[in-house]
Amino acid sequence: MPEVHPDRSGYWNNISQCCGNCGVAEFFLALHAAHGDPERLAFARRVMDDALGRATVDGDGLKWTQAENRVSPLDVVAQTGLMQGAAGVGLALLHLDGAIRGRAPLVALPDAISYA
């Protein structure tokens, strides 16, 4: 994961915080923060590299067209929200950048642990 499943079986067409790349990356960033394991940080980076590779250029920015649920996997849309969409991608990228640079997150939610 993510390279192991080129057909996305087990790693489906969703990059969001709730159930895709960003949620996976956030989990591994939290493990890295708690234990200082560089392999966890490297994995989070690999997952987010995959998310960036799945982006579509849209004007001056990027968007991610994805399925929101497995019941209708062909129903794909680009969303902007935190749990489903670009805001969550941006948050995960900020958290990854902070972990790589060894600094606290620029944006933290109330239930977040410290990444630095």
Side-chain angles (χ1 to χ4, degrees):
M1 183 177 130
E3 298 88 2
V4 176
H5 299 287
D7 66 348
R8 302 279 179 221
S9 61
Y11 196 69
W12 67 304
N13 186 19
N14 188 295
I15 53 83
S16 293
Q17 288 275 350
C18 74
C19 47
N21 291 56
C22 295
V24 171
E26 293 276 14
F27 176 74
F28 279 87
L29 288 171
L31 289 174
H32 169 71
H35 304 289
D37 182 353
E39 290 179 17
R40 306 260 167 81
L41 176 58
F43 185 73
R45 186 175 197 162
R46 200 172 101 211
V47 169
M48 290 309 296
D49 284 345
D50 178 71
L52 288 170
R54 293 166 66 186
T56 301
V57 175
D58 185 18
D60 292 336
L62 300 174
K63 69 179 181 180
W64 288 265
T65 303
Q66 63 180 358
E68 185 168 339
N69 60 65
R70 290 180 184 262
V71 176
S72 52
L74 299 179
D75 184 14
V76 295
V77 64
Q79 298 177 358
T80 58
L82 178 64
M83 294 311 288
Q84 283 283 7
V89 177
L91 185 63
L93 288 169
L94 286 172
H95 289 166
L96 176 62
D97 180 67
I100 290 168
R101 296 174 189 268
R103 65 158 168 71
L106 298 174
V107 176
L109 299 177
D111 63 343
I113 65 167
S114 174
Y115 290 108

